[in-house]
Amino acid sequence: MQAMAAFPGSTEPTLVEMPDPPEPGEGEVLCRTVELGICGTDREILKNTRPVLPEGADFLALGHECLARVEALGGEVDAVSVGDLVVPVVRRPLPGETLRPDLLAPGAYVERGIVSEHGFSLPLWLDRPEFLVPVPPGAEELAVLTEPQSVAEKGINEALLLQQARVSPETWVETPPRVLVTGMGPIGFAGIIGCLARGWPVTLYGRDPRDSFRATLAEELGACYRPAELWETGPGDVENEGFDLVLECTGHDGVMMTTAGWLAARGVMVWLGGLHRPEPVPHDVAAMMWFGFLRNHIFLGSVNAAERDFRDALEHLARLQETHEETLKKMITSRVSLDEAEWHYTNREPQGVKVVVDYE
């Protein structure tokens, strides 16, 4: 069977032949990939030419945004059944680690398709049931978007948890927060979906013209779009027109610095973007620190996701599918076979959102 791989020293994705997995042993599940999303993380692994390889391997099989079907069960497995559709979680703790996996420090975990374990571009692979999230009926059509959606869900859930702990349990419940999402990639759209599914108003801040495909898609979902060129100064009255929550999905330090100044008192900014290792660039952070000090801001880094967030992702995708099914389908801007996917692993379509490799 073939998989898409990253080799040390190369920026090019390579199709490799790999042996079929053995029959599942006790506590194991054999899964077949149905759909696979291509992600900015895949491109970043290739770009930096230093994939973190599984022990004894000379390449890393890519792929971590996966919808799969259960093919066979080993002994002592009753959490899933043959034929079930599942979404695998990406990060797994090393033996002896007890902290929630998405909160572990580097070196304390593996991530399938990213760090030290082959990913899901393999058509067939073995896993354990505790790492498989069943797809509920009605959520199948968009379930391949679950993993990127879970990343935004974690950021939202962590921000909500902190706010309710420090202010009151009713915070952002009786009165929804005003949310700003920066960035028009998959995580930006996941942030929009996670907020709208909770009934929270969302503004998207991006560089596209107002009549672009992605700007139109955001507004069809229910977000308000603000192009950066027409909104350089942001809200005039931060307390009354600013934001309670900013989901920063660009990883661009200039965008972060600008929009941090748009947080109202007790606001939270969640950093969800940051694929590129930054070059040292001097910034005047005095204003961000001053207003953060005066307004009791929280700045929160968030990556990966917990099982809680995967389940929220599936629930919220299904919820919006009831009212915006055709719009959500537009987020999958290309479908390709595995042998047609190489270009997409190193390039982005100008108005693309999500490319999906279809294995069936």
Side-chain angles (χ1 to χ4, degrees), residues 204-271:
L204 176 65
Y205 179 71
R207 295 184 298 178
D208 285 10
R210 189 178 290 279
D211 61 353
S212 69
F213 167 75
R214 294 187 300 187
T216 302
L217 183 62
E219 293 197 321
E220 286 180 5
L221 284 170
C224 171
Y225 180 62
R226 296 276 196 169
E229 63 179 0
L230 300 178
W231 208 43
E232 294 180 357
T233 59
D237 181 347
V238 172
E239 287 308 316
N240 293 307
E241 300 172 6
F243 300 96
D244 306 299
L245 173 63
V246 174
L247 301 177
E248 206 303 295
C249 305
T250 69
H252 190 283
D253 48 359
V255 173
M256 184 276 291
M257 296 284 293
T258 296
T259 55
W262 303 349
L263 280 169
R266 297 172 302 282
V268 182
M269 174 178 277
V270 183
W271 297 326

Side-chain angles (χ1 to χ4, degrees), residues 161-325:
L161 183 69
L162 288 168
Q163 282 296 82
Q164 292 182 341
R166 71 171 179 160
V167 181
S168 80
E170 291 75 37
T171 303
W172 295 358
V173 176
E174 295 179 351
T175 302
R178 301 161 295 176
V179 184
L180 178 70
V181 174
T182 64
M184 306 184 74
I187 301 301
F189 276 92
I192 291 172
I193 291 167
C195 291
L196 292 176
R198 290 170 169 83
W200 296 355
V202 185
T203 298
L204 176 65
Y205 179 71
R207 295 184 298 178
D208 285 10
R210 189 178 290 279
D211 61 353
S212 69
F213 167 75
R214 294 187 300 187
T216 302
L217 183 62
E219 293 197 321
E220 286 180 5
L221 284 170
C224 171
Y225 180 62
R226 296 276 196 169
E229 63 179 0
L230 300 178
W231 208 43
E232 294 180 357
T233 59
D237 181 347
V238 172
E239 287 308 316
N240 293 307
E241 300 172 6
F243 300 96
D244 306 299
L245 173 63
V246 174
L247 301 177
E248 206 303 295
C249 305
T250 69
H252 190 283
D253 48 359
V255 173
M256 184 276 291
M257 296 284 293
T258 296
T259 55
W262 303 349
L263 280 169
R266 297 172 302 282
V268 182
M269 174 178 277
V270 183
W271 297 326
L272 292 173
L275 291 175
H276 303 287
R277 187 174 296 278
E279 296 294 329
V281 177
H283 275 298
D284 180 3
V285 299
M288 188 178 82
M289 294 177 67
W290 175 249
F291 289 117
F293 162 69
L294 286 180
R295 295 174 179 157
N296 289 286
H297 291 163
I298 290 177
F299 295 92
L300 171 67
S302 179
V303 68
N304 207 267
E307 184 179 339
R308 162 204 69 185
D309 310 310
F310 275 80
R311 296 187 185 279
D312 283 350
L314 284 163
E315 177 186 341
H316 291 155
L317 285 166
R319 185 178 301 172
L320 257 69
Q321 188 175 341
E322 294 176 0
T323 55
H324 294 78
E325 182 173 6

Side-chain angles (χ1 to χ4, degrees), residues 54-92:
E55 186 175 354
D58 57 4
F59 61 83
L60 172 70
L62 296 168
H64 58 279
E65 299 181 1
C66 181
L67 171 65
R69 181 176 290 110
V70 174
E71 291 283 301
L73 304 176
E76 303 298 321
V77 175
D78 55 14
V80 293
S81 302
V82 172
D84 284 354
L85 287 175
V86 293
V87 174
V89 300
V90 178
R91 182 174 291 184
R92 292 97 190 278

Side-chain angles (χ1 to χ4, degrees), residues 15 86 332:
L15 280 172
V86 293
I332 300 176

Side-chain angles (χ1 to χ4, degrees), residues 24-71:
E26 187 167 316
E28 291 185 324
V29 180
L30 179 66
C31 296
R32 180 180 296 277
T33 298
V34 177
E35 294 177 338
L36 186 74
I38 297 176
C39 172
T41 301
D42 298 315
R43 299 185 185 103
E44 188 66 17
I45 290 169
L46 290 161
K47 182 180 178 181
N48 74 20
T49 71
R50 296 190 300 275
V52 184
L53 306 182
E55 186 175 354
D58 57 4
F59 61 83
L60 172 70
L62 296 168
H64 58 279
E65 299 181 1
C66 181
L67 171 65
R69 181 176 290 110
V70 174
E71 291 283 301

